[in-house]
Amino acid sequence: MSKTILITGGAGFIGSHVVRRFVNRYPEYKIVNMDVLTYAGNLENLKDIDGKPNYIFEKADITDEEAVNKLFEKYNFDGVIHLAAESHVDRSIEDPMAFIRTNVFGTVALLNAARTYWKDNMENKLFYHISTDEVYGSLGDTGLFVETTSYDPKSPYSAAKASSDHFVRAYHNTYKLPIVITNCSNNYGPNQFPEKLIPLAFNNIKNMKQIPIYGKGENIRDWLFVEDHASAIDLVYHKGKNGETYNIGGNNEWTNIDLIRELCAIMDKKMGRDAGTSASLITFVKDRAGHDMRYAIDSSKIMRELGWEPSLQFSEGLEKTVDWYMENEEWLQSVISGDYQAYYNQMYKGR
Ligand code: NAD
Ligand code: TYD
């Protein structure tokens, strides 16, 4: 059946994998990618599908209510998959307001448009909000985040995402808007902006620069390959139950230091370096303010109810990711030119 779907933030890291998947798998759908192209958005991420008849790009800001309404008017969307966000915790510590603007106001602008344009017939409509496990706060040594874990966000980023999740549920309760929310763990893979741990470390290792590890490197994240997140999003969009939340994770916990040692070992091989050369770049730096200790997701609901499972082992996914960055030097160079240097120097004091 034909559908017109709005995907927000489709030029970003995860969004570009979701847009590509939907455009290629569903030629009968029309996919409209709405993205304002912040520093994190890059149309290069989608150049392989540019020109496909079922793909349209619209440059617009989700906080611009007029622009959002115009797109709903123009395309008569059947569904929204909402990924556009400010997504980096360190930036949220520097400038919380930018996160409130996009993640909260922007989400509410989209919800308002959906409510307005769908009010006469909500059947077969869906507002799918992509969220993060960070809304649940930080775990101790044991336990996993489940869908009913209480929200306890601890960074400006996660507080803004939590707020947007609450608005999505409030619109479901108040206006009967059909919604679904997924909360996913840390993603990695091709096209991730090199402000996040893995691509930042890759770039530094490649250039024999210090690898900044916050605190003692003992913080734990649960890593999922980005295409496995995209496959989960596809499944939830088509099979998820109205009003439900699904957690998505890789069942793949790593301390930052162990993960970086693994990455260093792969890079030594790929770069033809003596074992241990890349690891000698590891440098412990001042900890992130309010640094969440551990995230870990229980994905059993989406696995049991929708039959999702991740396709890749971490070792395969990490190697695939390194290969992609090696083969896409031009992409990396283009995103780290300009503003990136100023950002890096401010955050890492020119290390
Ligand atoms: P990203 O920063 O790589 O991409 C965000 C995209 O949104 C960019 O293309 C950017 O241009 C666009 N954007 C930002 N502000 C906008 C605005 N006001 N109007 C229109 N477009 C705007 O982010 P990502 O890592 O791909 O994350 C995508 C979504 O997934 C976010 O909602 C994030 O909270 C969520 N998420 C991310 C992870 C992760 O590990 N990266 C994990 C779980 C959930
Ligand atoms: P990040 O990729 O920013 O994702 P998030 O904070 O959303 O989990 O960071 C992943 C982990 O790596 C987190 O514990 C912070 C840590 N980290 C470093 O140690 N050094 C760095 O330079 C960065 C960017 C992150």
Short mmCIF file of all heavy atoms in Angstrom, two decimals, residues 146-187:
data_model
loop_
_atom_site.label_atom_id
_atom_site.label_comp_id
_atom_site.label_asym_id
_atom_site.label_seq_id
_atom_site.Cartn_x
_atom_site.Cartn_y
_atom_site.Cartn_z
N VAL A 146 14.13 -1.14 31.40
CA VAL A 146 12.96 -1.72 30.74
C VAL A 146 12.01 -0.58 30.40
O VAL A 146 12.23 0.56 30.82
CB VAL A 146 12.25 -2.79 31.61
CG1 VAL A 146 13.12 -4.01 31.78
CG2 VAL A 146 11.86 -2.22 32.97
N GLU A 147 10.96 -0.88 29.64
CA GLU A 147 10.05 0.17 29.18
C GLU A 147 9.36 0.89 30.33
O GLU A 147 8.93 2.04 30.18
CB GLU A 147 8.99 -0.42 28.23
CG GLU A 147 9.52 -0.80 26.84
CD GLU A 147 10.29 -2.11 26.78
OE1 GLU A 147 10.41 -2.80 27.81
OE2 GLU A 147 10.77 -2.45 25.68
N THR A 148 9.24 0.23 31.48
CA THR A 148 8.55 0.85 32.61
C THR A 148 9.51 1.51 33.61
O THR A 148 9.07 2.01 34.64
CB THR A 148 7.71 -0.22 33.35
OG1 THR A 148 8.56 -1.34 33.62
CG2 THR A 148 6.51 -0.65 32.53
N THR A 149 10.80 1.50 33.32
CA THR A 149 11.75 2.19 34.21
C THR A 149 11.37 3.67 34.29
O THR A 149 11.04 4.29 33.26
CB THR A 149 13.19 2.06 33.65
OG1 THR A 149 13.52 0.67 33.54
CG2 THR A 149 14.20 2.76 34.55
N SER A 150 11.40 4.23 35.49
CA SER A 150 11.01 5.65 35.65
C SER A 150 12.02 6.55 34.95
O SER A 150 13.22 6.28 34.96
CB SER A 150 11.02 6.03 37.12
OG SER A 150 10.06 5.29 37.79
N TYR A 151 11.50 7.62 34.39
CA TYR A 151 12.40 8.60 33.76
C TYR A 151 13.22 9.32 34.82
O TYR A 151 12.69 9.72 35.85
CB TYR A 151 11.59 9.62 32.94
CG TYR A 151 11.25 9.14 31.54
CD1 TYR A 151 11.01 7.80 31.27
CD2 TYR A 151 11.19 10.03 30.47
CE1 TYR A 151 10.72 7.37 29.98
CE2 TYR A 151 10.89 9.62 29.19
CZ TYR A 151 10.66 8.27 28.95
OH TYR A 151 10.38 7.85 27.68
N ASP A 152 14.51 9.49 34.55
CA ASP A 152 15.38 10.17 35.50
C ASP A 152 16.56 10.81 34.73
O ASP A 152 17.72 10.51 34.99
CB ASP A 152 15.91 9.14 36.52
CG ASP A 152 16.69 9.77 37.65
OD1 ASP A 152 16.57 11.01 37.86
OD2 ASP A 152 17.46 9.05 38.32
N PRO A 153 16.22 11.68 33.75
CA PRO A 153 17.29 12.21 32.88
C PRO A 153 18.26 13.06 33.67
O PRO A 153 17.86 13.77 34.59
CB PRO A 153 16.51 13.04 31.86
CG PRO A 153 15.26 13.45 32.57
CD PRO A 153 14.91 12.29 33.46
N LYS A 154 19.54 13.01 33.28
CA LYS A 154 20.55 13.68 34.10
C LYS A 154 21.41 14.67 33.33
O LYS A 154 22.27 15.32 33.91
CB LYS A 154 21.43 12.62 34.76
CG LYS A 154 20.66 11.83 35.82
CD LYS A 154 21.54 10.78 36.46
CE LYS A 154 20.81 9.98 37.50
NZ LYS A 154 20.26 10.76 38.59
N SER A 155 21.23 14.76 32.01
CA SER A 155 21.98 15.77 31.25
C SER A 155 20.96 16.67 30.56
O SER A 155 19.80 16.27 30.38
CB SER A 155 22.87 15.10 30.20
OG SER A 155 22.07 14.63 29.12
N PRO A 156 21.36 17.87 30.16
CA PRO A 156 20.41 18.71 29.41
C PRO A 156 19.89 17.99 28.16
O PRO A 156 18.72 18.12 27.82
CB PRO A 156 21.23 19.96 29.06
CG PRO A 156 22.26 20.02 30.16
CD PRO A 156 22.61 18.60 30.47
N TYR A 157 20.74 17.22 27.49
CA TYR A 157 20.28 16.46 26.31
C TYR A 157 19.16 15.49 26.71
O TYR A 157 18.07 15.50 26.13
CB TYR A 157 21.44 15.68 25.68
CG TYR A 157 21.02 14.57 24.74
CD1 TYR A 157 20.33 14.85 23.56
CD2 TYR A 157 21.29 13.23 25.04
CE1 TYR A 157 19.93 13.83 22.71
CE2 TYR A 157 20.89 12.20 24.19
CZ TYR A 157 20.20 12.51 23.02
OH TYR A 157 19.80 11.50 22.19
N SER A 158 19.43 14.66 27.74
CA SER A 158 18.44 13.64 28.07
C SER A 158 17.19 14.26 28.68
O SER A 158 16.08 13.75 28.50
CB SER A 158 19.03 12.55 28.97
OG SER A 158 19.62 13.08 30.12
N ALA A 159 17.36 15.41 29.37
CA ALA A 159 16.17 16.09 29.93
C ALA A 159 15.29 16.60 28.81
O ALA A 159 14.05 16.49 28.87
CB ALA A 159 16.60 17.24 30.84
N ALA A 160 15.90 17.11 27.75
CA ALA A 160 15.10 17.62 26.62
C ALA A 160 14.44 16.45 25.88
O ALA A 160 13.27 16.54 25.48
CB ALA A 160 15.99 18.43 25.67
N LYS A 161 15.16 15.33 25.71
CA LYS A 161 14.55 14.17 25.05
C LYS A 161 13.41 13.62 25.92
O LYS A 161 12.36 13.26 25.40
CB LYS A 161 15.59 13.07 24.80
CG LYS A 161 16.61 13.36 23.73
CD LYS A 161 16.05 13.51 22.33
CE LYS A 161 15.51 12.24 21.74
NZ LYS A 161 15.12 12.44 20.29
N ALA A 162 13.63 13.56 27.22
CA ALA A 162 12.57 13.06 28.12
C ALA A 162 11.33 13.93 28.00
O ALA A 162 10.20 13.44 27.91
CB ALA A 162 13.08 13.04 29.56
N SER A 163 11.56 15.24 27.97
CA SER A 163 10.43 16.17 27.85
C SER A 163 9.67 15.90 26.55
O SER A 163 8.43 15.86 26.54
CB SER A 163 10.97 17.60 27.89
OG SER A 163 9.96 18.49 27.60
N SER A 164 10.40 15.70 25.46
CA SER A 164 9.72 15.45 24.18
C SER A 164 8.93 14.13 24.25
O SER A 164 7.81 14.07 23.75
CB SER A 164 10.71 15.46 23.02
OG SER A 164 11.62 14.38 23.09
N ASP A 165 9.48 13.11 24.90
CA ASP A 165 8.74 11.84 25.05
C ASP A 165 7.42 12.08 25.80
O ASP A 165 6.37 11.56 25.45
CB ASP A 165 9.54 10.81 25.86
CG ASP A 165 10.80 10.31 25.16
OD1 ASP A 165 11.21 10.92 24.14
OD2 ASP A 165 11.38 9.32 25.64
N HIS A 166 7.51 12.89 26.87
CA HIS A 166 6.30 13.17 27.66
C HIS A 166 5.24 13.87 26.81
O HIS A 166 4.06 13.58 26.92
CB HIS A 166 6.65 14.05 28.87
CG HIS A 166 7.43 13.33 29.93
ND1 HIS A 166 7.18 12.02 30.30
CD2 HIS A 166 8.45 13.73 30.71
CE1 HIS A 166 8.02 11.66 31.27
NE2 HIS A 166 8.81 12.68 31.52
N PHE A 167 5.69 14.82 25.96
CA PHE A 167 4.72 15.51 25.10
C PHE A 167 4.07 14.53 24.12
O PHE A 167 2.86 14.60 23.88
CB PHE A 167 5.38 16.67 24.33
CG PHE A 167 5.34 17.96 25.12
CD1 PHE A 167 6.48 18.43 25.77
CD2 PHE A 167 4.17 18.69 25.23
CE1 PHE A 167 6.45 19.60 26.52
CE2 PHE A 167 4.12 19.86 25.98
CZ PHE A 167 5.26 20.32 26.63
N VAL A 168 4.86 13.62 23.58
CA VAL A 168 4.29 12.66 22.62
C VAL A 168 3.21 11.83 23.32
O VAL A 168 2.10 11.66 22.81
CB VAL A 168 5.41 11.77 22.02
CG1 VAL A 168 4.82 10.67 21.14
CG2 VAL A 168 6.40 12.61 21.21
N ARG A 169 3.51 11.36 24.54
CA ARG A 169 2.51 10.55 25.27
C ARG A 169 1.30 11.41 25.66
O ARG A 169 0.17 10.94 25.66
CB ARG A 169 3.14 9.91 26.51
CG ARG A 169 4.11 8.83 26.15
CD ARG A 169 4.44 7.90 27.32
NE ARG A 169 5.44 6.96 26.85
CZ ARG A 169 6.76 7.13 27.03
NH1 ARG A 169 7.23 8.16 27.71
NH2 ARG A 169 7.60 6.26 26.54
N ALA A 170 1.56 12.67 26.00
CA ALA A 170 0.45 13.56 26.37
C ALA A 170 -0.49 13.79 25.19
O ALA A 170 -1.71 13.84 25.36
CB ALA A 170 1.00 14.90 26.88
N TYR A 171 0.06 13.89 23.99
CA TYR A 171 -0.80 14.08 22.80
C TYR A 171 -1.59 12.80 22.50
O TYR A 171 -2.70 12.85 22.00
CB TYR A 171 0.04 14.51 21.58
CG TYR A 171 0.24 16.02 21.53
CD1 TYR A 171 0.84 16.70 22.59
CD2 TYR A 171 -0.21 16.76 20.45
CE1 TYR A 171 1.01 18.07 22.56
CE2 TYR A 171 -0.05 18.15 20.41
CZ TYR A 171 0.57 18.80 21.47
OH TYR A 171 0.72 20.16 21.44
N HIS A 172 -1.00 11.67 22.81
CA HIS A 172 -1.73 10.41 22.63
C HIS A 172 -2.90 10.35 23.60
O HIS A 172 -4.04 10.05 23.22
CB HIS A 172 -0.77 9.24 22.89
CG HIS A 172 -1.42 7.90 22.81
ND1 HIS A 172 -1.96 7.40 21.66
CD2 HIS A 172 -1.63 6.95 23.77
CE1 HIS A 172 -2.47 6.20 21.89
NE2 HIS A 172 -2.28 5.91 23.17
N ASN A 173 -2.62 10.70 24.85
CA ASN A 173 -3.66 10.65 25.88
C ASN A 173 -4.74 11.71 25.66
O ASN A 173 -5.93 11.44 25.74
CB ASN A 173 -3.01 10.84 27.25
CG ASN A 173 -4.02 10.81 28.37
OD1 ASN A 173 -4.66 9.78 28.59
ND2 ASN A 173 -4.20 11.93 29.05
N THR A 174 -4.31 12.92 25.35
CA THR A 174 -5.26 14.04 25.29
C THR A 174 -6.01 14.11 23.97
O THR A 174 -7.21 14.32 23.94
CB THR A 174 -4.49 15.37 25.50
OG1 THR A 174 -3.69 15.25 26.67
CG2 THR A 174 -5.45 16.54 25.66
N TYR A 175 -5.26 13.95 22.86
CA TYR A 175 -5.89 14.16 21.54
C TYR A 175 -6.05 12.85 20.77
O TYR A 175 -6.42 12.86 19.61
CB TYR A 175 -5.03 15.12 20.70
CG TYR A 175 -4.70 16.41 21.41
CD1 TYR A 175 -3.39 16.69 21.82
CD2 TYR A 175 -5.69 17.37 21.67
CE1 TYR A 175 -3.07 17.87 22.48
CE2 TYR A 175 -5.38 18.56 22.33
CZ TYR A 175 -4.07 18.79 22.73
OH TYR A 175 -3.77 19.97 23.38
N LYS A 176 -5.69 11.74 21.42
CA LYS A 176 -5.80 10.41 20.79
C LYS A 176 -4.91 10.28 19.56
O LYS A 176 -5.19 9.50 18.64
CB LYS A 176 -7.26 10.06 20.42
CG LYS A 176 -8.24 10.21 21.57
CD LYS A 176 -7.91 9.25 22.71
CE LYS A 176 -8.67 9.57 23.98
NZ LYS A 176 -7.90 9.58 25.19
N LEU A 177 -3.83 11.05 19.52
CA LEU A 177 -2.89 10.94 18.41
C LEU A 177 -2.26 9.54 18.43
O LEU A 177 -1.76 9.10 19.46
CB LEU A 177 -1.80 12.01 18.56
CG LEU A 177 -0.90 12.23 17.34
CD1 LEU A 177 -1.66 12.99 16.25
CD2 LEU A 177 0.34 13.04 17.74
N PRO A 178 -2.28 8.82 17.31
CA PRO A 178 -1.63 7.51 17.29
C PRO A 178 -0.10 7.69 17.34
O PRO A 178 0.47 8.36 16.48
CB PRO A 178 -2.04 6.91 15.94
CG PRO A 178 -3.10 7.82 15.39
CD PRO A 178 -2.91 9.16 16.02
N ILE A 179 0.51 7.10 18.34
CA ILE A 179 1.95 7.29 18.53
C ILE A 179 2.65 5.97 18.85
O ILE A 179 2.03 5.01 19.31
CB ILE A 179 2.27 8.29 19.68
CG1 ILE A 179 1.80 7.71 21.03
CG2 ILE A 179 1.63 9.65 19.43
CD1 ILE A 179 2.88 7.41 21.99
N VAL A 180 3.92 5.99 18.66
CA VAL A 180 4.77 4.93 19.19
C VAL A 180 6.12 5.58 19.51
O VAL A 180 6.51 6.56 18.87
CB VAL A 180 4.85 3.74 18.20
CG1 VAL A 180 5.61 4.09 16.96
CG2 VAL A 180 5.43 2.52 18.81
N ILE A 181 6.79 5.09 20.56
CA ILE A 181 8.09 5.65 20.94
C ILE A 181 9.08 4.49 21.07
O ILE A 181 8.72 3.44 21.62
CB ILE A 181 8.03 6.39 22.30
CG1 ILE A 181 7.04 7.57 22.22
CG2 ILE A 181 9.42 6.89 22.73
CD1 ILE A 181 6.90 8.35 23.54
N THR A 182 10.30 4.68 20.56
CA THR A 182 11.35 3.72 20.88
C THR A 182 12.50 4.44 21.57
O THR A 182 12.82 5.59 21.24
CB THR A 182 11.86 2.96 19.63
OG1 THR A 182 12.18 3.88 18.60
CG2 THR A 182 10.83 1.99 19.12
N ASN A 183 13.09 3.75 22.53
CA ASN A 183 14.25 4.28 23.27
C ASN A 183 15.42 3.36 23.01
O ASN A 183 15.41 2.19 23.42
CB ASN A 183 13.92 4.34 24.77
CG ASN A 183 12.79 5.30 25.05
OD1 ASN A 183 11.61 4.96 24.90
ND2 ASN A 183 13.11 6.52 25.42
N CYS A 184 16.39 3.89 22.30
CA CYS A 184 17.51 3.04 21.85
C CYS A 184 18.80 3.39 22.57
O CYS A 184 19.01 4.51 23.03
CB CYS A 184 17.68 3.22 20.34
SG CYS A 184 18.86 2.06 19.62
N SER A 185 19.68 2.42 22.62
CA SER A 185 21.00 2.61 23.22
C SER A 185 21.96 3.28 22.22
O SER A 185 21.55 3.62 21.11
CB SER A 185 21.56 1.26 23.66
OG SER A 185 21.73 0.43 22.51
N ASN A 186 23.23 3.43 22.61
CA ASN A 186 24.22 4.11 21.75
C ASN A 186 24.37 3.42 20.40
O ASN A 186 24.60 2.21 20.36
CB ASN A 186 25.59 4.11 22.43
CG ASN A 186 25.66 5.10 23.57
OD1 ASN A 186 24.93 4.97 24.54
ND2 ASN A 186 26.52 6.08 23.45
N ASN A 187 24.28 4.19 19.34
CA ASN A 187 24.49 3.66 17.99
C ASN A 187 25.92 3.92 17.55
O ASN A 187 26.55 4.89 17.98
CB ASN A 187 23.58 4.38 16.99
CG ASN A 187 22.13 3.95 17.05
OD1 ASN A 187 21.45 3.94 16.05
ND2 ASN A 187 21.62 3.60 18.24
#
